[in-house]
Amino acid sequence: MKKETKKQKHSKRKVITTSAILILIVVGICFSFIPLFKNLKFGLDLQGGFEILYKATSVDKSKMTSEKLTATYKTLSKRIDSLGVSEPEIIIEGNDKIRVKLAGVKDPDEARKQLSTVATLSFRDTEDNLLMTSDVLKAGGAKISQDSAGNPAVLLTVKDKDKFFEVTNKVKDMDKNMLVIWLDYQDLRDSYAKEGALCGTSESNCLSAATVSQGFASDVIIQGNFTSDEVSNLVDLINSGSLPSKLTELSSKTVGASFGDSTLEKTLIAGIIGISLIAIILVAVYHFAGFISSVSMMIYTFLVFAIFWLVGGVLTLPGIAALVLGIGMAVDSNVITFARIKEELYKGKSLPVAFREGTKSSFSAIIDSNVTTLIVAIIMFIFGESSIKGFATMLIITIAVTMFTMVFLTRLLLKLFIKNDYFNDKTRAFINVKKEDIPNVNKNESVKKVPFKDADFLKYTKVFVPISILIILVGTIIIGVKGLNLGIDYQAGSDITIEASKKITKKDINKDLSNLKLKLRDVEINDDEIDIRVNNVLDGNKVKEVVNYFEEKYDAKTNVGVVSNIVKKELTKNAILSVLIAMIGIIIYMSIRFRFSYAISGVVALFHDVAIIFALFAILRLEVSTMFIAAILAIIGYSINDTIVGFDRIRENLSKEERKKLNKEKLITLTNKSISETFTRTIYTSVTTLVPVIALIFLGSSEILTFNLAMLFGLIAGTYSSIYIATALFAVLESKNITKPEKKKIIYTDEIEEKKIKGINC
């Protein structure tokens, strides 16, 4: 056995010390997860609470503008504060809808009542006729002021001075020329005749009744017997109520806290197991480099949570799913780099040179694959709603953190150990490359190991394409005959979930729904839970009636989710729009970075992946919900990764060929060679991404089962489509281009060309 030199011993000690420090950092990160996780905000699906979707309309029947919608948003924010809700989530959707998520709310009826009673400011005459709404005022324009005697008063800033002049000029000619300002005026309850003497006091909603002697177009002072505190409160009330909007409930959903606790626990356990399995795979395949990648992965996970906490994100089930999925995608960045380093070693290069060349050549593929996913994530964020938007937020964060940890940090750590020289002759320990597989270039040895050399991948296109066509054809027929199994999100109706200790039969449910005058669409009875779907869109009173009915009869805990036809149309439109825009974005990016033939081939493969998922969901009668759409969009972003890495290698190999010497046979050979060079990486990437998804399927919550199944189908379809469909189509399209003669370039010059005449100068 060869004795270690003093330098080698020093290098070994340095490697052990640095590795120990990295392990301690990982342990520290694991312990710091506990307080960080406790400080995160959890969404409805993890904490329980209440969600409601409103349609906002103008009181005066005028068009709903963005300003009015924003003002309504601010009003709801102030109203929610009085409910004692921690960190509510309010989302403006479309041109006239607002979704409110109240995690931790114990009394949904109280929340519904308080949210729908919007503070509205109005200007009326003494006969209570509406003259103006708060449209004429600047949003949030109420300020603390003083009257002429120096007493506390409220100043209202007028925005539409022409309208204000028109109304006051009309009021001055009335028998009782008074302009009465009301807050939350209600017919039958309020009237100036009854409350005129109380205007400006806390006993009336009448804020002020001012005599108008002339038309004017200036700001308004509300004065009365106000204290400083009363004026301050009045300013807040008016600013929160200065909007001409009414809220109509479109849908609502109550989620129990006990459900949230069990879901969170299951999903987290599945996530931890998934991450652990990925770390084991990385170390088994890449040895020490895999260990460094696992360290980066832990830092990556911690940073994603930390950034999500810093931006005030609300953690939901889709967010957790995006995090686990993002880990698989992040590891791909390392797999691409490690595969390139191994290739350089197989060419006979030293470890430092192989590291330098491998990291350099892998960078373009990493950038392109992450940018395409980022394009899809941004589109999801802009056009998605509710859970899709949350998924997109987490996905954007994971992409940004991937570039820092899995690209910059991993390379920095690897470089640190390579500079130490300890691993120079220990390539198997470093990255699992045997010394006997590295040729000695000084002895003119040729490359010894070429994985999948001379493999004809494209011939299997004839196998996979018919299989895909058959699956898609069967799925299309089933969709045409039976349609998709649409979830409550994509159907007008209501979803009633009952948890009861007593046994309830289907016959009981039919009788109960008949008593409640509800039309049954579908019912599923499990051991401890019954899921009922009805065609009726329940309003607030009917929801309360249903909940009370099942509670009194079965002592059951009942949750009701409601979706109107408007919501169904909006969700469907946004989902289709998101997919189409994502496709267009990918085509544009790939056309710029590659060529149009690459872009078309990549997008056709994506359409194939999406079609396969839809077909399998139709065949297996799995439910299509908003979570399903999030999975479709994620697959669009993810499956393009494999395709781009393959295309990146084809582009690189094509650049080494003289185009005029290229023919169809050479192009097919070159394409097969490119696939063989990236095949191992494709398999490893698919496995590391599938591991957390499979862990979530078997160990996670049933609430995200459809998401994970869609991801599973999409990842499998995406893997073989990138190898056997996208590349085959590219070869067909590009073979037509290479047979076309190159267009002659016209060169413009100032020089006068001599005309040649036979027999004279030629």
Side-chain angles (χ1 to χ4, degrees), residues 171-221:
V171 171
K172 75 173 176 40
D173 297 326
M174 294 179 178
D175 292 337
K176 291 184 179 179
N177 56 332
M178 300 186 76
L179 186 65
V180 187
I181 305 175
W182 290 89
L183 186 72
D184 285 342
Y185 177 89
Q186 286 187 20
D187 288 324
L188 303 178
R189 186 195 69 180
D190 299 318
S191 75
Y192 180 75
K194 289 191 298 183
E195 301 178 45
L198 300 174
C199 277
T201 68
S202 58
E203 299 175 39
S204 172
N205 283 342
C206 177
L207 299 181
S208 175
T211 302
V212 180
S213 56
Q214 64 180 36
F216 57 95
S218 60
D219 295 342
V220 186
I221 289 281

Side-chain angles (χ1 to χ4, degrees), residues 66-104:
S66 59
E67 283 188 358
K68 293 176 187 176
L69 201 61
T70 302
T72 308
Y73 170 92
K74 290 179 179 177
T75 299
L76 287 174
S77 297
K78 287 185 175 290
R79 289 276 165 160
I80 289 169
D81 287 341
S82 64
L83 295 171
V85 176
S86 174
E87 304 293 348
E89 189 178 357
I90 307 174
I91 306 163
I92 294 176
E93 298 183 357
N95 298 321
D96 59 356
K97 285 182 280 300
I98 296 179
R99 187 182 299 273
V100 182
K101 295 184 177 184
L102 308 173

